[in-house]
Amino acid sequence: MREFFTALANKTSRAVGSHWAFIIAVLIVLIWGLTGPMFHFSDTWQLVINTGTTIITFLMVFLIQNTQNRDAKAMHLKLDELIASLKAAHNEMIDIEELSDERLEEIAEFYRKKKEEYPDDTVTAIASDVAEQAHDTAHRVAGDTAREVAHHTARGVAGDTAKPTVKDHKENKRRVIRALR
């Protein structure tokens, strides 16, 4: 049932959002208005348009809400993906729409304070936070890289040192064997 409603909501939303739907609605109103004199502008004549528009509006509210909910959820998921993929982004912003209004206000206040630090440039305010995180990340990566380079260098030196030692040992062994013969 859910899949059927989703498919119906998608198709209806696309159809009703088209220019053709608007043209048809205008034509219906024009035809209704032109038939007024034929029906002597009776209560029944007015009731037809009122009832028709009320029913259509009532049903469209649910279809439009369904479409907007899915669109909003898809947009949030796309934004969550972007946040998760950026190293300098605040991952705690993922699923932020699920937080309470009080928590959302606290986060908004944090960014207002950031902006106050740089009143003339909002981009700099946000970029300063990103720069701090990038700086921390660079130090962490540099430390990891330095350890890795030291490890590889030590292994290389140990290997280079061991090769002549093994070679010398084999040569000495051959000399001893020759001397014993």
Side-chain angles (χ1 to χ4, degrees), residues 111 114-115 118-128:
Y111 284 105
K114 270 292 193 196
K115 185 174 176 355
Y118 302 91
D120 297 332
D121 191 359
T122 303
V123 174
T124 303
I126 294 169
S128 70

Side-chain angles (χ1 to χ4, degrees), residues 165-177:
T165 304
V166 170
K167 185 178 178 184
D168 289 345
H169 177 69
K170 287 182 180 179
E171 188 60 38
N172 286 339
K173 187 177 176 182
R174 280 189 209 129
R175 280 189 210 144
V176 170
I177 290 175

Side-chain angles (χ1 to χ4, degrees), residues 11 23 39 54 62 65 75 82-83 85 107 113 128 138 162:
K11 290 177 183 175
I23 291 170
F39 295 102
T54 301
F62 298 105
Q65 188 62 50
M75 183 64 67
L82 289 173
I83 291 168
S85 69
I107 294 169
K113 286 179 182 174
S128 70

Side-chain angles (χ1 to χ4, degrees), residues 24 77 80-81 87-88 99 101 121 130 134-135:
I24 291 169
L77 292 171
D80 290 349
E81 171 63 18
K87 291 182 190 222
L99 297 177
D101 289 341
D121 191 359
V130 172
H135 178 75

Side-chain angles (χ1 to χ4, degrees), residues 147-163:
R147 280 191 291 279
E148 190 174 315
V149 168
H151 176 72
H152 286 302
T153 303
R155 288 183 85 187
V157 169
D160 291 345
T161 304
K163 286 178 188 173

Side-chain angles (χ1 to χ4, degrees), residues 60-102:
M60 289 305 296
V61 165
F62 298 105
L63 294 175
I64 291 169
Q65 188 62 50
N66 176 271
T67 302
Q68 286 181 337
N69 288 347
R70 283 183 299 97
D71 287 349
K73 184 65 173 175
M75 183 64 67
H76 286 290
L77 292 171
K78 290 174 186 178
L79 290 172
D80 290 349
E81 171 63 18
L82 289 173
I83 291 168
S85 69
L86 296 172
K87 291 182 190 222
H90 294 280
N91 286 341
E92 54 276 359
M93 295 300 221
I94 294 175
D95 284 337
I96 193 171
E97 65 277 4
E98 303 295 328
L99 297 177
S100 68
D101 289 341
E102 293 81 19

